Amino acid sequence: MAPLGRHGAGLRAEVGVAETGAERARRGKVRGSGSRWAEAMIPPQEASARRREIEDKLKQEEETLSFIRDSLEKSDQLTKNMVSILSSFESRLMKLENSIIPVHKQTENLQRLQENVEKTLSCLDHVISYYHVASDTEKIIREGPTGRLEEYLGSMAKIQKAVEYFQDNSPDSPELNKVKLLFERGKESLESEFRSLMTRHSKVVSPVLILDLISGEDELEVQEEVPLEHLPEGVLQDVIRISRWLVEYGRNQDFMNVYYQIRSSQLDRSIKGLKEHFRKSSSSAGVPYSPAIPNKRKDTPTKKPVKRPGTIRKAQNLLKQYSQHGLDGKKGGSNLIPLEGRDDTLDVETDAYIHCVSAFVKLAQSEYQLLMDIIPEHHQKKTFDSLIQDALDGLMLEGENIVSAARKAIIRHDFSAVLTVFPILRHLKQTKPEFDQVLQGTAASTKNKLPGLITSMETVGAKALEDFADNIKNDPDKEYNMPKDGTVHELTSNAILFLQQLLDFQETAGAMLASQETSSSAASYSSEFSKRLLSTYICKVLGNLQLNLLSKSKVYEDPALSAVFLHNNYNYILKALEKSELIQLVAVTQKTAERSYREHIEQQIQTYQRSWLKVTDYITEKNLPVFQPGVKLRDKERQMIKERFKGFNDGLEELCKIQKAWAIPDVEQRDKIRQAQKNIVRETYGAFLHRYGSVPFTKNPEKYIKYRVEQVGDMIDRLFDTSA
């Protein structure tokens, strides 16, 4: 504070000096050169007042200066007091610091020791807990995971950790053996639970559901997708959790074998159930229906009947149409088994197999989706391959049985049985892309099964086509098997009926024929090439048939009946070709086939008409007597006229009697032939009767003039009509 006091005194002295100097200056200024003028100018009274005013101001400033001096003194005193307080505080802080720092260090050490103790205790508790795992979890493991999988897996996790601990820290401990045994027992229980869940909840897919699943492909409108639930959702989640645990912790793949064995059995049984469903349905309705699923919404439309593949039934319907139009033939002899007498069992078996193939594809796709959730990714393909083997082998074996049956049928010339190969082969080819997609990633032996079956069916189909053509050509001419009325031979109806099947299977049949071609020809295989091959084959069959019919017609002793027989068969072939659109296929390689058949038909009509010459020759003008009206006939002339009348009458009666038993099933052709023949005979007989009917060649004209012209026409109208 002393220095501050010195400064304050100095300040006061300087102020005082300053004030004195200022005052002197003012005064000097007043007293300066202008003072004289001021004194001369300012009156004495004002000068006195001015002086007093200045003195008053000086006094005020002195008072102010005195106040400042007092304030400075007080400030000096306060500064001294503050310095004293701060010095005392600093001293106390130093003492406090010297006391607290040792205490703080001791506290830190104590806290560290406490933490170490707590960690040690925690580690001890953790280690001790491993020794209690066996006793804590034994009851849960013994009771099994059924109904409490979450808790069970939690216990298995504890046991797994205990095993790992003892293996790392105490491998010779008896506790290790105890928890190992418990872990193995728990793993076995999980494997058993996996098997149990799969066995109890894996159900065979019902035939109705399968039919709904595969018939949706044929619907034009988009239908609601048919759900296919192999396992209930809750069970599926449990199975997934168990499988993942077994893979991650159990180090076990045996459950995959269990999985594919159970699912393989269900898949195989589902397909067999569908086949059995077809067999049962065929005995009642003939066509298995696929009703809507019961739990669908009410606004879901009922599905249509499952579409059946194109089989012989279509051609049989065409044959019935021909029969209604008078084109059907009677059962004439043939070493070919009649196609129209074919048992529907073959159709049912064919339909069942085709639908089983489609069912396999759909169910296999569904199985793979299920498998992806349960089986680890790197095991999925192998497991799926094993899973589908039984069902796939069953389908392939049944297909080979169909091929074997077709081979036997070829030997006994039962080509109706061979026809079952066509729809099956077509369906297999259509389904092959889906098959390939489903079997992607499986073994090569699995992938090659379907192509192998397709090749076998193509080979046997080609063999059937070739043998059928040869049998048409070499069918024997058995007199006792020939139709007595000259109607269509059974060989003709069977041949046409067989060819009609090829309309539905043009690509399939063409591929069969192409498969037997040389490699160079087969290399250029196309749909057009297939069509030309099939057209060539049909022309070959028709050519063989025509040659055989010509040979068979020679069995008839009567040339007219032979002509009627050929006419009926040629006409039947032409009408059948036109109505079934076979004619367009024939025209691919034989443009003039239709015209050729019409010419053959007309030729046989003309041959038939020549049979009436022996009747009309009696009454033609040649070799008849010429006489003048009014001139009496000679005995020789009268006898000649009598012979002409008698010959005509006997010939007419004989022909009508014989030809009445003949048949021309085609109403249009029958009427045409009758009318043409009636016109010829009536015209000839009318001219003869007009010329000789009034001639007195006999005393008993009714004996010779037995028929009027109208009666002759009526008799001809009753030809080819056994009911008349």
Side-chain angles (χ1 to χ4, degrees):
M1 296 301 288
L4 184 59
R6 288 195 297 269
H7 291 305
L11 180 60
R12 285 194 298 274
E14 291 171 359
V15 171
V17 173
E19 289 176 349
T20 303
E23 185 178 355
R24 283 198 300 268
R26 285 196 301 273
R27 290 177 182 175
K29 188 177 181 180
V30 172
R31 289 194 297 266
S33 60
S35 64
R36 290 189 299 273
W37 177 79
E39 289 176 357
M41 293 299 294
I42 297 173
Q45 295 84 357
E46 290 183 4
S48 176
R50 180 69 174 172
R51 186 180 296 110
R52 284 194 297 273
E53 181 179 354
I54 290 171
E55 289 176 354
D56 289 339
K57 288 183 178 181
L58 180 61
K59 185 178 180 179
Q60 288 178 357
E61 289 179 356
E62 288 177 348
E63 290 176 356
T64 301
L65 182 60
S66 176
F67 175 74
I68 290 173
R69 286 192 189 98
D70 292 340
S71 295
L72 287 173
E73 290 176 358
K74 289 180 180 180
S75 178
D76 287 341
Q77 185 63 38
L78 289 174
T79 300
K80 290 178 181 180
N81 292 338
M82 181 58 68
V83 169
S84 176
I85 291 171
L86 290 175
S87 298
S88 175
F89 183 70
E90 181 179 8
S91 175
R92 292 181 181 182
L93 279 178
M94 291 179 64
K95 291 180 181 180
L96 180 62
E97 183 177 357
N98 293 332
S99 301
I100 291 299
I101 286 177
V103 174
H104 176 68
K105 289 182 179 179
Q106 292 177 0
T107 303
E108 277 188 339
N109 291 333
L110 290 174
Q111 287 178 345
R112 191 177 298 108
L113 290 172
Q114 183 179 2
E115 289 176 359
N116 290 336
V117 170
E118 289 177 354
K119 288 181 180 179
T120 302
L121 291 174
S122 176
C123 289
L124 287 173
D125 290 339
H126 182 68
V127 171
I128 292 172
S129 68
Y130 289 128
Y131 287 87
H132 294 290
V133 166
S135 58
D136 292 343
T137 59
E138 185 176 7
K139 181 180 179 182
I140 297 174
I141 299 303
R142 185 175 62 251
E143 292 176 353
T146 304
R148 48 195 237 170
L149 181 62
E150 188 73 28
E151 181 183 5
Y152 193 88
L153 291 178
S155 297
M156 289 299 294
K158 293 179 181 178
I159 297 172
Q160 174 71 17
K161 291 179 180 179
V163 170
E164 293 173 355
Y165 170 79
F166 288 120
Q167 283 178 339
D168 295 338
N169 299 281
S170 184
D172 297 330
S173 171
E175 292 296 331
L176 176 60
N177 294 330
K178 187 181 295 185
V179 291
K180 270 188 175 181
L181 289 174
L182 197 59
F183 181 81
E184 290 300 323
R185 187 189 305 171
K187 185 173 71 173
E188 291 175 1
S189 295
L190 284 173
E191 293 171 356
S192 177
E193 179 70 6
F194 182 88
R195 180 187 293 273
S196 176
L197 289 174
M198 291 298 303
T199 303
R200 284 188 287 114
H201 297 283
S202 290
K203 304 298 182 183
V204 174
V205 183
S206 70
V208 172
L209 186 57
I210 295 175
L211 289 173
D212 282 324
L213 187 67
I214 62 180
S215 64
E217 299 175 346
D218 297 329
E219 298 294 330
L220 295 179
E221 298 180 359
V222 178
Q223 298 288 341
E224 180 180 345
E225 185 177 353
V226 179
L228 192 59
E229 184 181 67
H230 293 291
L231 296 172
E233 183 61 28
V235 174
L236 176 60
Q237 295 304 320
D238 287 348
V239 168
I240 292 173
R241 293 202 63 187
I242 293 174
S243 69
R244 290 178 179 173
W245 189 93
L246 289 173
V247 171
E248 185 174 358
Y249 301 107
R251 307 289 191 272
N252 183 13
Q253 298 180 7
D254 292 342
F255 77 95
M256 300 180 197
N257 297 331
V258 172
Y259 176 84
Y260 90 71
Q261 290 169 0
I262 295 174
R263 294 309 308 168
S264 175
S265 174
Q266 300 304 325
L267 175 62
D268 191 39
R269 290 170 59 193
S270 297
I271 294 176
K272 289 179 178 177
L274 176 64
K275 184 176 181 180
E276 186 64 26
H277 175 74
F278 266 85
R279 289 175 177 171
K280 292 180 179 179
S281 300
S282 65
S283 62
S284 55
V287 179
Y289 282 78
S290 173
I293 299 176
N295 62 357
K296 277 193 173 184
R297 299 193 305 271
K298 293 182 179 180
D299 59 347
T300 303
T302 303
K303 281 185 167 55
K304 299 178 180 178
V306 176
K307 292 185 178 180
R308 305 185 71 189
T311 61
I312 189 174
R313 189 174 304 281
K314 180 178 178 181
Q316 288 176 341
N317 292 335
L318 287 172
L319 186 61
K320 291 178 181 178
Q321 294 177 11
Y322 302 155
S323 177
Q324 293 172 0
H325 289 84
L327 292 180
D328 193 9
K330 297 180 180 178
K331 298 290 182 184
S334 171
N335 67 339
L336 298 175
I337 295 178
L339 296 180
E340 64 270 24
R342 180 174 179 265
D343 192 353
D344 281 348
T345 303
L346 288 175
D347 275 347
V348 173
E349 293 295 330
T350 301
D351 291 350
Y353 185 75
I354 287 174
H355 283 85
C356 285
V357 170
S358 295
F360 172 81
V361 173
K362 291 296 182 183
L363 292 177
Q365 290 173 342
S366 181
E367 286 291 345
Y368 191 73
Q369 293 298 320
L370 177 66
L371 178 142
M372 289 174 63
D373 292 331
I374 299 174
I375 304 300
E377 183 177 359
H378 54 287
H379 292 285
Q380 289 174 1
K381 294 296 183 181
K382 182 179 179 181
T383 304
F384 180 70
D385 196 347
S386 301
L387 188 155
I388 62 174
Q389 284 303 315
D390 287 347
L392 182 59
D393 287 344
L395 285 178
M396 296 301 106
L397 177 61
E398 190 172 352
E400 290 297 339
N401 289 339
I402 292 172
V403 172
S404 178
R407 290 194 182 100
K408 295 177 181 178
I410 293 173
I411 295 174
R412 64 176 184 270
H413 301 157
D414 180 10
F415 294 98
S416 62
V418 179
L419 287 173
T420 59
V421 173
F422 285 77
I424 292 174
L425 178 58
R426 180 177 66 179
H427 186 72
L428 289 180
K429 286 189 170 184
Q430 291 174 345
T431 314
K432 188 176 182 299
E434 288 185 89
F435 246 99
D436 292 342
Q437 184 178 6
V438 169
L439 302 182
Q440 186 178 6
T442 58
S445 58
T446 303
K447 294 178 182 178
N448 293 333
K449 288 181 179 179
L450 181 64
L453 178 60
I454 289 175
T455 301
S456 297
M457 287 194 170
E458 283 187 336
T459 302
V460 76
K463 174 67 173 172
L465 292 175
E466 188 64 28
D467 281 19
F468 182 80
D470 292 341
N471 275 275
I472 293 295
K473 181 179 181 180
N474 301 320
D475 188 68
D477 305 327
K478 298 177 181 178
E479 182 176 355
Y480 61 87
N481 278 331
M482 293 293 291
K484 303 300 182 183
D485 56 0
T487 189
V488 178
H489 198 279
E490 187 179 30
L491 177 69
T492 303
S493 60
N494 280 345
I496 294 299
L497 192 56
F498 185 87
L499 293 179
Q500 286 164 356
Q501 307 311 299
L502 306 184
L503 285 175
D504 286 334
F505 309 105
Q506 293 184 39
E507 291 186 7
T508 304
M512 288 178 177
L513 296 170
S515 67
Q516 305 305 305
E517 292 292 309
T518 61
S519 57
S520 59
S521 298
S524 60
Y525 172 77
S526 64
S527 59
E528 186 62 28
F529 177 68
S530 169
K531 194 171 185 180
R532 291 189 65 84
L533 280 178
L534 186 57
S535 175
T536 302
Y537 172 77
I538 292 174
C539 291
K540 176 182 177 180
V541 172
L542 293 176
N544 290 348
L545 177 60
Q546 185 173 345
L547 291 174
N548 197 304
L549 291 174
L550 282 171
S551 176
K552 291 182 183 300
S553 68
K554 296 175 182 178
V555 173
Y556 296 108
E557 296 179 357
D558 191 335
L561 181 56
S562 177
V564 169
F565 171 77
L566 290 175
H567 165 273
N568 284 333
N569 283 272
Y570 291 157
N571 184 63
Y572 178 87
I573 293 171
L574 178 60
K575 295 293 185 182
L577 292 178
E578 292 175 338
K579 286 184 177 294
S580 64
E581 299 180 1
L582 272 171
I583 194 67
Q584 286 89 342
L585 195 54
V586 171
V588 173
T589 55
Q590 189 62 264
K591 303 294 184 183
T592 61
E594 184 175 1
R595 184 181 67 188
S596 178
Y597 273 110
R598 295 194 186 281
E599 290 174 354
H600 288 319
I601 292 170
E602 189 60 34
Q603 182 181 356
Q604 298 308 318
I605 292 176
Q606 293 174 6
T607 302
Y608 162 76
Q609 289 175 343
R610 284 197 289 271
S611 68
W612 282 84
L613 291 178
K614 63 181 181 180
V615 176
T616 56
D617 277 352
Y618 282 103
I619 56 176
T620 54
E621 291 187 3
K622 67 177 182 176
N623 298 327
L624 286 177
V626 179
F627 59 90
Q628 296 296 327
V631 178
K632 184 177 180 181
L633 295 175
R634 290 175 297 178
D635 292 341
K636 182 179 180 181
E637 293 174 340
R638 286 196 298 272
Q639 184 62 31
M640 184 178 294
I641 294 174
K642 290 179 182 179
E643 290 176 356
R644 295 291 184 270
F645 268 109
K646 186 177 186 303
F648 172 78
N649 293 335
D650 292 345
L652 176 66
E653 291 170 357
E654 182 183 3
L655 278 185
C656 287
K657 180 181 179 181
I658 294 173
Q659 295 185 7
K660 179 182 178 181
W662 296 355
I664 299 181
D666 188 336
V667 176
E668 181 182 349
Q669 287 290 317
R670 184 168 65 233
D671 292 343
K672 174 184 175 181
I673 293 173
R674 281 174 177 172
Q675 188 62 41
Q677 198 59 49
K678 184 168 65 173
N679 292 340
I680 294 172
V681 176
R682 285 178 61 180
E683 182 180 353
T684 306
Y685 182 64
F688 178 76
L689 191 61
H690 176 73
R691 184 170 182 178
Y692 295 100
S694 59
V695 174
F697 65 92
T698 180
K699 294 180 180 180
N700 299 309
E702 65 277 2
K703 179 181 178 181
Y704 298 97
I705 307 176
K706 296 174 65 174
Y707 303 105
R708 298 189 306 276
V709 175
E710 292 76 11
Q711 288 178 310
V712 172
D714 292 340
M715 292 173 69
I716 295 175
D717 280 337
R718 289 194 291 272
L719 297 179
F720 317 117
D721 188 359
T722 57
S723 63

